[in-house]
Amino acid sequence: MTQHINVPDKFLVYGDCYYTKRGKFDDLDTSLRALTAQGCFQDLDRVAFMLIKPDAVVSGKAVKLLQRLLQHGFVFAHAEIHSQKRERDFEELYKFNLTKHNAANMLCAWWLARRVYTMGPSVDLLLSHRDPDCRGQSLYKLIGDMKGVSNPYACDQASLRGSLRACNRSLNLVHASDSPMASVREFGIFRSVDALIQGIRRATGSPHSESI
């Protein structure tokens, strides 16, 4: 029997992340092995996946979002436009929300989410931070606080969703992963594990990294 990659505890203590709390990562085994082989696995918590959603792009707010991230010390270890509007990608992105086992499920609203994610292009990012100590829980908390809660009407007005006037829970401008393991899974829906490896290398200043 094949031995699965051992996931360090530091990647598993991320609050209410439903995917992480499951504690099962068999679906990521190939990606985790590739990260390990390239010496990138231990630095996985230096990057976090964020998706600028189509409603932000279509409404002309994507550039402001990117500028705000840069102003707050974030660095784009990967940035690429995702122009293929494939419903299946976004079903995969939210599949752990679309389950009765998740108390925060979106089963009743998925018909609307499908419309949102196929209305135009999105931008997939791997975020790191200029502060080398901002990694792991510190990095993910900073992103979560800056993003704001899902409901824009409950957001801090200094957050991205609050200050840029997100419309509602569906048209709320950005999606961000909740943990390193979720970032591996969600980034992998849109990009290859080689792109993830290059992003981690850029975040760590590796001489083997390639420019964006």
Side-chain angles (χ1 to χ4, degrees):
M1 175 179 277
T2 303
Q3 183 73 30
H4 292 298
I5 298 294
N6 182 45
V7 178
D9 288 343
K10 69 175 183 175
F11 293 165
L12 302 178
V13 286
Y14 286 75
D16 292 329
C17 176
Y18 178 75
Y19 179 67
T20 301
K21 287 197 295 186
R22 290 169 65 249
K24 298 178 181 179
F25 307 107
D26 294 357
D27 53 331
L28 300 183
D29 200 59
T30 300
S31 295
L32 298 182
R33 287 184 182 281
L35 289 168
T36 302
Q38 295 297 320
C40 295
F41 186 48
Q42 290 301 318
D43 288 315
L44 178 58
D45 62 346
R46 289 188 177 275
V47 297
F49 174 65
M50 175 179 279
L51 189 76
I52 296 180
K53 294 165 63 171
D55 58 296
V57 176
V58 171
S59 64
K61 297 176 181 178
V63 172
K64 290 182 180 179
L65 279 165
L66 294 169
Q67 290 172 339
R68 287 281 303 279
L69 290 167
L70 291 172
Q71 289 167 2
H72 282 77
F74 289 100
V75 177
F76 305 139
H78 173 95
E80 195 166 351
I81 295 172
H82 182 76
S83 57
Q84 294 181 320
K85 296 179 285 186
R86 297 182 299 199
E87 290 185 9
R88 181 59 186 160
D89 289 344
F90 301 107
E91 288 176 352
E92 184 68 20
L93 179 65
Y94 285 111
K95 75 177 182 181
F96 291 104
N97 294 71
L98 300 169
T99 169
K100 65 181 180 180
H101 300 296
N102 181 3
N105 74 72
M106 304 183 303
L107 290 173
C108 63
W110 177 235
W111 67 272
L112 180 57
R114 291 173 64 189
R115 296 286 294 274
V116 171
Y117 277 104
T118 56
M119 69 192 299
S122 54
V123 182
D124 47 87
L125 306 171
L126 278 179
L127 299 178
S128 60
H129 201 274
R130 288 199 299 263
D131 180 355
D133 293 327
C134 185
R135 62 187 296 176
Q137 291 192 66
S138 297
L139 176 64
Y140 281 84
K141 184 179 187 306
L142 185 61
I143 291 172
D145 290 345
M146 187 172 178
K147 176 183 64 171
V149 297
S150 297
N151 181 358
Y153 296 102
C155 277
D156 187 315
Q157 288 305 298
S159 69
L160 293 175
R161 287 169 170 162
S163 63
L164 294 176
R165 309 276 183 181
C167 295
N168 52 49
R169 289 177 183 269
S170 295
L171 299 168
N172 61 7
L173 305 179
V174 294
H175 165 85
S177 299
D178 298 314
S179 72
M181 301 306 290
S183 284
V184 175
R185 190 188 79 81
E186 294 177 358
F187 183 78
I189 295 168
F190 304 99
R191 303 296 168 193
S192 69
V193 68
D194 289 337
L196 177 59
I197 289 168
Q198 283 301 318
I200 294 172
R201 286 175 172 170
R202 291 187 195 102
T204 59
S206 168
H208 299 293
S209 64
E210 300 174 1
S211 60
I212 297 177

